């Protein structure tokens, strides 16, 4: 087949991901699809993958995708006539200590919200299913009977055949050397044999994707690492159909393969390969053995399966795979380039993810939006610095090692730190800050007490910062706390059409008098929340957009795409302005000692912005709060903020000032009922479902994106609603994705959770769905529980916050 001049969609990469995308596009009726593979189908990573199909993943969304894959692979051979080698053998995961067991049990509870069939095994059952497994040191094990194994090559060929049966064209031996773009839109690809025009380009190039995407200015942070497994000679006692065994404490998995064992490793520290770029002709090659690197992990494998010590080895395999800085793959439309989609960086879960990824990406391409919340893997979560070779070389070995490490709550990366720091960083170090990393920023998560170790000691219980964070919360609730919020993303939006653009984007009314701060959501046409932020009107044509550090790339892309063709200038000024949050009932009297400006309610009401002098420094003060107390956010030039900080700290002692970190902020915002985008708010949730109808200006003169969808929903019973919960067990903590039960029936899952020091209990938010209406009567009449690590635990449900439910304290 000759290379065509054009296609509606060009898919770059003929591994299992590219073939799944093509297959699902054809299922959606898009058949003018061209798949280009530089070598042969399955080249790169697919051909040497282990073929495990595990349904249980780190969160609800990814578990849904993996579960879809398993069901698709079960039926694919019958549909296409192409053998896939798929078999449902089940899997066993084992724990060697109590905290690993709690992690597994919490994952088991999360899986229940997706409908995954899973159960706890006693150790006699483990030995019956897997006689060669050492169990005397195990704490527990779970069994997922519908997990499977597949032949990666055969499954890919079945997807390719299914796509071709519907008209998709596949060309092998065509190397794509670059992406074509006109303005802000992808227009095709350049190959070694000529160019191909396209309306949509999909990058499924595995470990080559970063360097290919860069030819059009698209950022896809990933890097190849060496990945190791062994295949033994036949072993007595290994029978066909035995479940896959995962021993994460030993960094090892065991897969039965025709009476032999495949033993795969996710060692604590990976080996980066070819940081400067992957050769295009490396398709079906492997890398040298490295016993020195893998030996200590192999010893753990022998401990778990002693028969390995005497088994002959048929193969020691080392093949590169693409890993990402946070251990999650990249999916979706690139923020830098319209109609350029990405599906790459699968961190050794490409086979089990491929079916679900093909489904959701095809829907995204056809419909213009994903069919479910995909924020954990959305390519818009990334940042340019993450593709820097120095960053990748430091971070990727750690991210590979974390795949089988303990997934502790609040776990912080140890490598590639210090990318972005506040101008106050050194002063915060002096104050005892213990930093976390988010979006490249070093942020104070908590402040160590005098004599306390400045490091995390992780557990599933109350960690070593629990007391310190509690004192920070107490200061904010009863005196005054000082937050460094400089990591906020900040966009200047100015020009003759600035108001029109922002008012069209925003559900709330933006045409307010200068000096007002508007809390609002940006919605999609379905009414789902794309962003949750504030907009300050600084002048008639001058606005300041403030949003979260983690959504900086996403929100800026949404803003700039909708501003095209308008007379507006948008600038990312995040690093130019530092931010101090002065929060608590004594914040007014503290700041009054540092400024001549009138801070009374009449002169400076809640939701207003004023330029004031603080310690003789020009400062934009916003009367806002994300912690449910009286307070101000102070925006000062990065070069001046140390003066403001020193003055506040110097004055603060007589007002009970205490430094506070982001763990405290999360606790405070949750008990005050404030939502967090990415957890409690997603593009699948509307403001009405989220309890944010107060921020929707239905009657403003300019219609906003999503208004029609909200109008259609407004007068109907709310069958999905964000509800707040207090867990009544004082020893249990909540995080996210725990099942919510009403009268013993599953009705939802938590979206976020945190300890509340005012309630002395864990609090959570979560969406509850009912056949009729989730209203006050529905909440009051039910008996509520939240399942924690497999145990239903009594909870109190409320439609209002547990702290200051009328939200009067910020207005005091």
């Amino acid at each position: 087949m000759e290379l065509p001049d054009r296609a509606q969609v060009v898919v770059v990469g003929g591994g299992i991901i590219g073939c799944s995308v093509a297959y699902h596009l054809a299922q959606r009726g898009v058949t003018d699809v061209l798949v280009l593979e530089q070598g042969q189908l399955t080249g790169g990573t697919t051909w040497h993958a282990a073929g495990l199909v595990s349904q249980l993943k780190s969160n609800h969304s990814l578990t849904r995708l993996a579960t879809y894959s398993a069901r698709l692979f079960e039926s694919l051979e019958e549909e296409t006539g192409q053998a896939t080698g798929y078999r449902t053998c089940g899997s066993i995961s084992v724990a060697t200590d109590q905290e690993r067991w709690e992690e597994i049990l919490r994952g088991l509870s999360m899986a229940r919200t997706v409908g995954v069939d899973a159960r706890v095994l006693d150790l006699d059952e483990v030995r019956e299913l897997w006689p060669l497994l050492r169990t005397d040191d195990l704490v527990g094990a779970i069994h997922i009977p519908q997990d499977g194994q597949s032949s990666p090559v055969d499954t890919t060929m079945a997807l390719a055949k299914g796509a071709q049966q519907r008209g998709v064209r596949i060309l092998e031996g065509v190397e794509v050397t670059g992406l074509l773009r006109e303005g802000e839109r992808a227009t095709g690809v350049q190959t070694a044999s000529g160019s191909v025009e396209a309306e949509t380009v999909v990058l499924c190039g595995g470990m080559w994707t970063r360097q290919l995407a860069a030819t059009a200015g698209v950022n896809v942070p990933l890097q190849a690492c060496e990945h190791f497994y062994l295949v033994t000679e036949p072993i007595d006692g290994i029978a066909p159909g035995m479940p896959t065994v995962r021993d994460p404490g030993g960094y090892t998995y065991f897969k039965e393969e025709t009476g032999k064992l495949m033993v795969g490793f996710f060692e604590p520290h990976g080996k980066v390969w070819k940081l400067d770029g992957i050769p295009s002709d490396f398709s079906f090659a492997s890398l040298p053995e490295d016993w020195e690197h893998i030996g200590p992990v192999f010893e753990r494998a022998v401990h778990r399966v002693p028969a390995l010590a005497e088994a002959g080895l048929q193969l020691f395999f080392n093949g590169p795979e693409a890993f990402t800085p946070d251990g999650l793959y990249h999916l979706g439309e690139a923020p830098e380039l319209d109609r350029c989609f990405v599906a790459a960086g699968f961190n050794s879960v490409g086979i089990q993810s491929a079916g679900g990824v093909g489904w959701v990406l095809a829907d995204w391409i056809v419909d213009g939006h994903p069919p479910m919340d995909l924020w954990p893997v959305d390519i818009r979560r990334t940042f340019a610095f993450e593709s820097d070779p120095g960053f990748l070389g430091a971070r990727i070995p750690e991210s590979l090692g974390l795949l089988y490490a303990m997934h502790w709550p609040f776990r912080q990366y140890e490598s590639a730190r210090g990318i972005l720091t506040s101008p106050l960083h050194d002063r915060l170090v002096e104050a005892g800050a213990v930093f976390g990393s988010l979006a490249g920023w070093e942020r104070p998560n908590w402040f160590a007490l005098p004599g306390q170790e400045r490091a995390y000691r992780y557990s599933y219980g109350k960690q070593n910062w629990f007391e310190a964070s509690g004192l920070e919360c107490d200061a904010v609730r009863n005196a005054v706390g000082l937050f460094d919020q400089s990591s906020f993303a900040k966009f200047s939006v100015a020009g003759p059409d600035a108001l029109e653009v922002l008012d069209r984007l925003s559900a709330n009314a933006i045409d307010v008098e200068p000096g007002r701060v508007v809390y609002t959501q940006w919605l999609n046409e379905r009414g789902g929340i794309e962003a949750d932020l504030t907009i300050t009107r600084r002048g008639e044509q001058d606005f300041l957009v403030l949003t979260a550090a983690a959504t900086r790339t996403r929100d800026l892309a949404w803003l700039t795409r909708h501003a095209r063709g308008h007379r507006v200038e948008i600038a990312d000024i995040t690093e130019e302005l530092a931010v101090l949050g002065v929060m608590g009932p004594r914040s007014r009297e503290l700041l009054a000692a540092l400024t001549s400006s009138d801070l009374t309610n009449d002169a400076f009401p809640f939701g207003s912005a004023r330029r004031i002098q603080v310690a003789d420094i020009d400062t934009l003060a916003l009367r806002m709060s994300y912690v449910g107390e009286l307070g101000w956010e102070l925006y000062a030039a990065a070069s001046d903020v140390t003066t403001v900080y020193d003055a506040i700290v110097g004055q603060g002692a007589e007002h009970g000032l205490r430094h506070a970190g982001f763990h405290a902020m999360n606790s405070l915002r949750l008990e005050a009922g404030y939502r967090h985008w990415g957890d409690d708010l997603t593009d699948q949730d509307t403001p009405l479902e989220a309890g944010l109808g107060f921020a929707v200006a239905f009657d403003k003169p300019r219609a906003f994106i999503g208004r029609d969808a909200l109008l259609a929903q407004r007068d109907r019973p709310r069958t999905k609603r964000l509800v707040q919960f207090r867990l009544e067990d004082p020893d249990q903590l909540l995080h996210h994705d725990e099942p919510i039960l009403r009268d013993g029936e599953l009705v939802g899952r938590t979206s976020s959770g945190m300890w509340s020091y005012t309630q002395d209990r864990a609090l959570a938010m979560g969406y509850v769905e009912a056949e009729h209406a989730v209203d006050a009567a529905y909440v009051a009449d039910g008996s509520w529980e939240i399942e924690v690590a497999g145990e239903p635990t009594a909870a109190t449900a409320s439609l209002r916050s547990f702290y200051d439910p009328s939200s009067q304290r910020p207005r005091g």
Side-chain angles (χ1 to χ4, degrees):
M1 183 190 303
E2 292 186 1
L3 185 71
D5 294 330
R6 69 167 310 280
Q8 184 178 350
V9 181
V10 170
V11 178
V12 182
I16 194 168
I17 301 297
C19 289
S20 180
V21 171
Y23 168 88
H24 285 89
L25 282 169
Q27 293 274 27
R28 286 297 310 269
V30 180
T31 58
D32 184 13
V33 177
L34 176 65
V35 178
L36 297 178
E37 163 56 44
Q38 63 184 0
Q40 293 178 310
L41 293 186
T42 76
T45 298
T46 297
W47 71 275
H48 63 71
L52 305 181
V53 183
S54 166
Q55 299 170 85
L56 183 57
K57 294 289 169 281
S58 60
N59 60 58
H60 177 90
S61 297
L62 302 193
T63 301
R64 279 187 66 187
L65 298 190
T67 300
Y68 174 91
S69 293
R71 303 294 79 80
L72 172 66
F73 296 165
E74 286 176 342
S75 62
L76 196 58
E77 181 174 343
E78 181 179 355
E79 176 195 338
T80 64
Q82 166 70 46
T84 63
Y86 187 79
R87 52 198 175 102
T88 304
C89 57
S91 72
I92 298 171
S93 294
V94 302
T96 54
D97 58 64
Q98 287 295 339
E99 294 202 292
R100 176 72 74 173
W101 185 228
E102 177 156 359
E103 177 189 28
I104 289 175
L105 288 177
R106 283 178 176 264
L108 197 67
S109 289
M110 183 272 293
R112 183 180 176 190
T113 69
V114 190
V116 175
D117 178 22
R119 68 183 185 93
V120 174
L121 292 175
D122 64 43
L123 297 186
D124 287 339
E125 291 177 297
V126 173
R127 286 187 287 270
E128 183 178 339
L129 289 169
W130 239 90
L132 298 185
L133 199 70
R134 179 175 178 177
T135 61
D136 62 325
D137 60 343
L138 295 182
V139 172
I142 66 165
H143 183 218
I144 304 179
Q146 292 302 308
D147 277 0
Q149 299 174 3
S150 195
S151 163
V153 170
D154 291 338
T155 304
T156 302
M157 300 309 292
L159 290 165
K161 184 175 180 180
Q164 289 173 310
Q165 287 171 341
R166 290 173 172 83
V168 170
R169 293 169 289 176
I170 298 176
L171 284 180
E172 298 175 302
V174 179
E175 179 186 353
V176 176
T177 57
L179 306 183
L180 303 178
R181 65 181 295 169
E182 289 183 7
E184 307 301 325
R185 187 181 181 93
T187 57
V189 297
Q190 183 66 47
T191 81
S193 304
S195 61
V196 181
E197 295 182 3
E199 298 173 19
T200 301
V201 175
V202 190
L203 304 182
C204 305
M207 55 190 170
W208 289 272
T209 304
R210 172 168 60 92
Q211 58 206 67
L212 176 60
T215 64
V218 172
N219 178 49
V220 184
L222 56 78
Q223 175 57 43
C225 261
E226 300 183 29
H227 183 52
F228 304 87
Y229 61 74
L230 310 174
V231 179
T232 71
E233 300 287 351
I235 298 176
D236 290 339
I238 299 297
M242 291 177 67
T244 299
V245 171
R246 292 180 179 82
D247 177 16
Y251 311 105
T252 309
Y253 64 83
F254 305 90
K255 172 196 172 188
E256 181 275 323
E257 198 167 87
T258 63
K260 310 167 190 175
L261 272 187
M262 173 186 282
V263 185
F265 309 102
F266 290 100
E267 65 274 23
H269 193 80
K271 284 184 66 179
V272 164
W273 181 71
K274 290 289 183 182
L275 194 60
D276 56 349
I278 312 299
S280 61
D281 59 355
F282 189 92
S283 290
F284 290 94
S286 60
L287 302 176
E289 298 180 0
D290 190 342
W291 274 107
E292 182 178 354
H293 179 73
I294 215 66
V297 188
F298 180 68
E299 290 177 8
R300 290 175 176 255
V302 171
H303 171 83
R304 186 58 52 216
V305 181
L308 281 174
E310 305 300 325
L313 294 185
Q314 185 181 85
L315 175 68
F316 182 126
F317 189 84
N318 177 9
E321 296 190 23
F323 293 83
T324 64
D326 62 2
L328 297 172
Y329 48 85
H330 298 314
L331 197 62
E333 188 173 18
E336 306 92 346
L337 189 60
D338 294 359
R339 303 308 297 176
C340 177
F341 288 83
V342 176
F346 280 87
N347 303 277
S348 281
V349 297
I351 305 303
Q352 56 204 267
S353 303
V357 164
W359 155 44
V360 296
L361 197 61
D363 280 4
W364 200 334
I365 291 166
V366 174
D367 300 330
H369 59 82
M372 56 184 284
D373 171 33
L374 293 171
W375 175 239
V377 292
D378 195 316
I379 185 68
R380 292 172 292 176
R381 78 187 188 280
T382 62
F383 299 90
F385 70 82
E386 293 178 297
S387 283
D388 178 84
F391 178 88
L392 290 170
R395 172 59 61 82
I396 295 297
E398 181 183 6
S399 68
L400 182 153
L402 290 177
L403 293 176
Y404 268 27
M406 282 291 297
H407 299 92
W408 296 115
F410 311 105
R411 201 253 181 220
Q412 304 298 318
Y413 282 100
E414 298 172 1
S415 62
R417 296 287 295 268
I419 305 299
L420 295 169
T421 57
S422 160
L424 299 169
H425 185 81
D426 291 344
R427 281 169 167 75
L428 298 175
V429 171
E430 293 175 9
V434 181
F435 294 92
S437 178
L438 181 74
W441 286 92
E442 292 295 311
R443 311 199 313 170
N445 279 346
W446 56 284
F447 288 82
L449 301 175
Q452 183 178 11
E453 179 188 19
R454 297 189 185 189
Y456 279 86
R457 291 290 172 253
Y458 299 117
S459 77
Y460 269 95
K462 297 168 183 175
Q463 297 184 8
N464 63 319
W465 47 266
F466 181 82
E467 179 185 356
S469 190
L471 293 173
E472 296 166 23
C473 290
D474 180 70
V476 175
R477 289 284 179 247
N478 298 297
V480 60
L482 179 62
F483 296 90
D484 179 15
Q485 298 169 256
S486 299
S487 59
F488 275 4
K490 314 166 195 80
F491 312 136
S492 172
V493 184
D497 294 339
L499 172 61
E500 178 185 347
V501 169
L502 292 173
D503 208 32
R504 166 86 172 134
L505 281 177
S506 303
N508 214 340
I510 306 303
D511 192 4
V512 296
E513 62 188 36
R516 296 296 298 172
V517 185
V518 179
Y519 170 59
T520 189
Q521 287 77 47
W522 290 348
L523 311 180
N524 53 47
E525 294 289 357
R526 305 170 312 286
I529 301 171
E530 294 284 347
D532 180 67
L533 40 76
T534 65
I535 299 176
T536 300
R537 191 169 194 177
R538 298 184 294 191
E540 289 298 324
Q541 301 181 2
D542 184 14
F543 298 83
L544 178 64
V545 176
L546 305 168
T547 190
T551 58
R552 181 178 178 179
T553 300
R554 177 193 181 104
D555 294 349
L556 185 59
W558 188 264
L559 172 61
T560 54
R561 277 180 166 141
H562 286 87
R564 289 177 192 158
H566 292 83
R567 298 168 298 166
V568 61
E569 294 183 3
I570 299 169
D572 184 341
I573 58 171
T574 299
E575 278 82 41
E576 296 177 20
L577 292 176
V579 186
L580 286 170
V582 183
M583 300 290 161
R586 300 186 68 179
S587 58
R588 179 181 281 120
E589 58 189 84
L590 188 160
L591 289 176
L594 301 175
T595 182
S596 60
S597 297
D598 188 348
L599 302 181
T600 63
N601 265 331
D602 289 340
F604 206 142
F606 182 79
S608 58
R610 305 280 187 271
R611 298 214 74 89
I612 65 175
Q613 297 287 309
V614 178
D616 298 323
I617 297 298
D618 181 56
T619 304
L620 177 65
L622 273 56
R623 174 91 185 272
M624 296 296 290
S625 174
Y626 191 52
V627 296
E629 297 293 344
L630 172 70
W632 281 262
E633 294 171 1
L634 305 178
Y635 292 75
S639 57
D640 293 333
V641 73
T642 52
T643 301
V644 178
Y645 169 89
D646 290 343
I648 292 172
V649 173
Q651 185 66 35
E654 62 187 83
H655 301 283
L657 178 76
R658 182 181 285 271
H659 288 81
F662 280 88
H663 289 335
M665 179 175 286
N666 193 29
S667 173
L668 294 162
R669 71 92 188 168
L670 192 62
E671 63 186 16
Y674 296 165
R675 284 71 165 144
H676 181 259
W677 197 91
D679 295 316
D680 315 305
L681 309 173
T682 75
D683 60 3
Q684 304 298 309
D685 311 311
T686 74
L688 302 182
E689 295 165 343
L692 298 175
F694 65 89
V696 179
F698 283 105
D699 298 328
K700 67 179 184 178
R702 185 179 286 106
F704 57 88
I705 297 172
R707 179 176 180 271
D708 290 345
L710 294 191
L711 282 173
Q713 186 183 59
R714 181 172 62 174
D715 298 326
R716 296 200 306 265
R718 207 75 67 238
T719 56
K720 171 188 171 185
R721 194 162 182 177
L722 190 66
V723 179
Q724 303 185 51
F725 297 92
R726 182 179 63 218
L727 201 67
E728 297 307 339
D729 184 337
D731 297 319
Q732 289 283 15
L733 301 181
L734 296 173
H735 302 295
H736 59 81
D737 284 337
E738 293 98 353
I740 299 169
L741 310 175
R742 181 183 185 271
D743 298 336
E745 298 295 323
L746 180 67
V747 293
R749 58 189 169 88
T750 62
S751 52
S752 63
M754 194 72 177
W755 185 263
S756 165
Y757 294 89
T758 65
Q759 299 294 308
D760 198 30
R761 298 287 190 277
L763 299 184
M765 295 183 183
Y767 284 95
V768 170
E769 298 191 47
E771 184 178 350
H772 299 296
V774 180
D775 54 19
Y778 177 88
V779 170
D781 293 344
S783 175
W784 295 89
E785 295 170 308
I786 295 178
E787 185 178 310
V788 182
E791 295 295 328
T793 306
T796 299
S798 174
L799 293 178
R800 306 181 74 188
S801 63
F802 288 96
Y803 179 81
D804 187 26
S806 60
S807 298
Q808 293 305 303
R809 292 181 68 88
R811 293 168 171 79

